[in-house]
Amino acid sequence: MPVRTINDIRVSFLDFFKTREHLHVPSASLLPAADPTLLFTTAGMVPFKDFFSGAKTPPAPRLASVQKCLRTTDLESVGKTKRHLSFFEMLGNFSFGNYFKKEAIEFAWEYSTQFLPFPKEKIWISIFENDDEAHDIWHKHIGIPKDRIVRLGRADNFWGPAGESGACGPCSELYIDRGEEFGTDEQNRAPGGSGDRFMEFWNLVFNQFDFQKGEYLPLARTGIDTGAGLERLATLVQGVDSVFDTDELMTLRKSAAQIFSAEYSGSGVIPLRVLTDHVRTLTFAMSDGIFPSNESRGYVLRRVLRRAMLFGRKLGQKQPLLYKLCGTVSEIYGGFYPELKQNIPFIADYVREEESRFLRTLDSGAERLEQLILQTKDQKQASLNGKEVFQLYDTFGFPLEMTIELAELEGLTVDTTAFKAEMEKQRERGRAAWKGALELPVSRSLETEFTGYESLNGEGKILALVRGNAAVDSIAETDSAELCFIVTDKTPFYAEGGGQLGDNGFIKTPTGGARVVDCRKQGDAFVHLVSDIEGKISTGDNAELAVDRERREALARHHSATHLLNAALKKTLGNHIRQSGSLVHPDYLRFDFSHPKALSVEEVAAIEAQVNRAVADRFTVSTLVVDKAAAEKRGAVMTFGEKYGDVVRVVEMADFSKEFCGGTHVVNTGEIGSFLILKESSPGAGNRRIEAVAGKAAAEAFSQKLLETEALLTAIGSESTDAAVRKALADAKALAHGAAKGVSEHAWRELLALYQTAQQLQQQARKQAKKEQQTASGAGLTGVAEKLASNAVTNGKGTAIGTENLEGAGINDLKAVIDRAREINPAAAYVLFSRVGEETLFVCGTSQKYAAEKKIQLNQLLKSAPAALGITGGGKAELIQGKLRGEIAAAAAFFTAEL
């Protein structure tokens, strides 16, 4: 019997796999067990990561589950599209060394065609680009025609890992062709496009790799991990327009409409979708013990709740209402997830308190934002003033991401660059005040025990509190506008020193909490600078302290890399090298050292290679506390100008590096990952400076430089058909492919050389463009322009248009003719074509005055071009250029009709 409801699908899926010897495993918590790389359970396989890696033994070789999942990477899209959800359920079947591709494909095909059931001829398949085995199973064994099997790249058909490590591998996805009514353009011709015609409903992951610290290692045993989003599957089964029209979500959505006194139509659609999704997310997460707060995953939930309230306000919300829906979530889902029924009164009260607190911010902040939006529109500006947006954040606590989202709904952007500049100014003011306040009014006898070498979490007692420059007994939410400091008897927070920035994180007490934004030492006391204070914090309170793990790990990578760099400099340049300064930042490192002249390209490459060899050797990083004389005898290096006591801490990385250091470090050098030198310069006479990145920051730097290089080459290529440009573009693509496997210093050096080549080619292209411009001003092209201007004819819309085909002319020649024609007759639009080798170029232009008079927007016109013309390009309202794959006559007809 065909399934209809969402619960039908849950039950039939589990029953199907039970009869095929799979053990049903109940859904795990949304709070990942013993996995610090994840904030939430984001996929069905997350609870089974240790089974795939071989670290633990599964309860059975075949498992099946319906798993609760929470993802907020696309939170701003929830409500605005028909598919996006922050909470969803994932159907999955799993094999741990039992069956592999053939059986996984057979199971998926049988359930899809016999139990859902979907018409066989409507199902399309995608596979990883080089997975011939999966292709043959689908085609030869299942019988899918070759033209319904699509090969896609790593971005589409290689899955995982979930988090920073674990099982991963190529995958194959099942799609439903929903028909031509959902689109027939380029993006709707086959799976892999961005259109709505083909909807993916099941992903089969063939796990064969274990990704660990940048390496794809073979899995102890291959496995199968499949995932089918329940709500998306129900959309197809029930034949409805969106996930919010499926039976369970529709019930919740109708309750939301009733409580918020709103209609699910017009301007009420997006707010009601947001409220429906977000209250479900909050209720499920809180039932698993994850509550809105200022902490990492708690902060994400708070953002979800506040986003819901922003959209509630659009429906006229003036008092707490969202909490009333928590019970409805329990009624709908409690049958399958009994844990939802246990704490609903407590969850609802918690949500109501959060609503009450944020409504006070909304009343003042949202009103000011609405004024700012109106002011921006009145001034005909496209972007909200970043300084004003910062004042919203600083004065009213209005989150930037919410301002951006509300601005987008009004067709506006936010000047985030100016916002960040204001944020940095405030931090500088805070740092200046912070530095000037290091004689805080706290007793000199206070001491703090640092526990952060062993753990990033700890407990301590609050010894002193300072607001501004006055000692106080308590601090509260109303004090957030002032500098506030907390001193504890114990802390895992590293206080800034030795070039390494202080830790960030959170402090929580029974009656309050705060975000730690810096940590410094005053005497023997560790002083925590805090912001975003919640509730009330008092002296004598017991506190839980938690360091931001991701930031600390980034600092550790860069600090350990700094030690390797120091050693590599001495080995390459000589023992005269002396450290004269350093900065260890989570995003980069800066190292100043004594040296009389600039480093050559070869020296920089040699230093970079030495550090990366030390990383690859995975030296154990050990620490020992000894007297100073013993440390010197071991060969440990001191930093010039630093003062040391009789007992010192030494950090050793085998025999490669030994330094006096009190900072935090990786466990072994392999954790540093890639190391790349960004820049070598001089901070002053007799000194050199190296700026470098490690780990994730290195991968990001490589990607950014690659994007810049490709953009530069693409821009040159639009004006040149030079073989050198084509070769450079091919080289860039090869580097991009290699980068997917990991960033090496060799690839980095190649990329930097390629970037220099691109700059040289750009200079050559500009010289050539200038030469062509001079040629274009000659009599020959002037004659063409005169002919073009005089032969303009008026189309059905009353626009005068001149077209011409100039065989063999370059793009700059075409633009020069257009410019001259606009001077001769500004009351017309002109289109020129030229076939150069295998490419067809075009330029279309008109005068600014004529564009305004006829309401011509050439850059918008490109978007409506038929796919058959294959037009690509860009430009401004009055001038565009590009290439086309179709016939010139057809393109000329399109421009003539549409202008």
Side-chain angles (χ1 to χ4, degrees), residues 106 128 166 190 260 376 398-400 424 465 467 488 500 550 561 768 776 827 851:
E106 289 173 340
F128 187 51
F260 282 81
T376 304
F398 212 78
L400 173 63
E424 187 56 32
L465 295 166
R467 182 177 61 240
T488 56
Q500 179 176 331
E550 186 174 349
Q768 181 64 23

Side-chain angles (χ1 to χ4, degrees), residues 70-275:
L70 200 164
R71 293 182 195 168
T72 58
T73 47
D74 296 318
L75 186 64
E76 68 281 354
S77 298
V78 175
K80 300 174 187 175
T81 72
K82 297 177 180 181
R83 303 183 189 180
H84 280 92
L85 295 166
S86 57
F87 173 90
F88 58 95
E89 296 172 75
M90 185 72 78
L91 309 174
N93 58 289
F94 307 88
S95 166
F96 308 97
N98 183 271
Y99 62 82
F100 202 45
K101 294 183 184 180
K102 179 175 177 291
E103 295 86 346
I105 288 172
E106 289 173 340
F107 289 150
W109 181 253
E110 183 182 1
Y111 183 74
S112 298
T113 58
Q114 295 184 29
F115 289 82
L116 290 176
F118 291 145
K120 295 180 180 179
E121 67 276 7
K122 291 287 187 182
I123 298 178
W124 285 58
I125 306 297
S126 72
I127 59 172
F128 187 51
E129 54 193 354
N130 60 7
D131 193 348
D132 294 333
E133 181 186 3
H135 176 276
D136 289 346
I137 295 170
W138 279 116
H139 175 56
K140 296 178 181 178
H141 181 62
I142 300 297
I144 302 290
K146 286 185 177 181
D147 60 2
R148 294 215 314 268
I149 303 175
V150 181
R151 293 179 185 264
L152 298 175
R154 179 175 290 270
D156 295 289
N157 275 70
F158 191 96
W159 193 92
E164 297 177 10
S165 62
C168 55
C171 62
S172 179
E173 295 177 313
L174 287 78
Y175 291 78
I176 280 288
D177 179 357
R178 305 169 77 193
E180 292 186 354
E181 62 268 29
F182 286 91
T184 57
D185 61 7
E186 190 72 30
Q187 297 301 321
N188 284 288
R189 292 184 178 176
S194 59
D196 290 326
R197 177 174 173 177
F198 294 91
M199 183 181 281
E200 178 258 323
F201 66 89
W202 204 339
N203 186 10
L204 316 179
V205 181
F206 309 129
N207 281 316
Q208 58 194 79
F209 300 111
D210 183 14
F211 186 75
Q212 296 292 339
K213 296 174 182 173
E215 294 185 71
Y216 288 95
L217 307 173
L219 267 180
R221 52 189 174 190
T222 59
I224 291 296
D225 153 27
T226 84
L230 177 57
E231 294 84 354
R232 183 177 290 196
L233 195 60
T235 303
L236 295 171
V237 169
Q238 296 176 10
V240 293
D241 188 49
S242 78
V243 291
F244 297 97
D245 299 311
T246 55
D247 58 299
E248 291 181 346
L249 278 174
M250 182 172 63
T251 301
L252 183 56
R253 190 198 75 207
K254 287 181 176 179
S255 294
Q258 183 178 359
I259 287 172
F260 282 81
S261 303
E263 293 289 331
Y264 187 62
S265 61
S267 61
V269 171
I270 292 177
L272 284 172
R273 285 178 175 176
V274 169
L275 292 164

Side-chain angles (χ1 to χ4, degrees), residues 536-550:
K536 184 179 179 182
I537 301 172
S538 304
T539 54
D541 282 352
N542 291 319
E544 295 176 12
L545 300 97
V547 173
D548 182 329
R549 177 180 295 276
E550 186 174 349

Side-chain angles (χ1 to χ4, degrees), residues 310 358 361-362 365-366 369 389 392-393 396-400 402-403 406:
L310 278 172
F358 190 55
T361 296
L362 271 180
L369 176 58
V389 171
L392 262 176
Y393 167 82
F396 301 107
F398 212 78
L400 173 63
M402 293 187 179
T403 301
L406 290 177

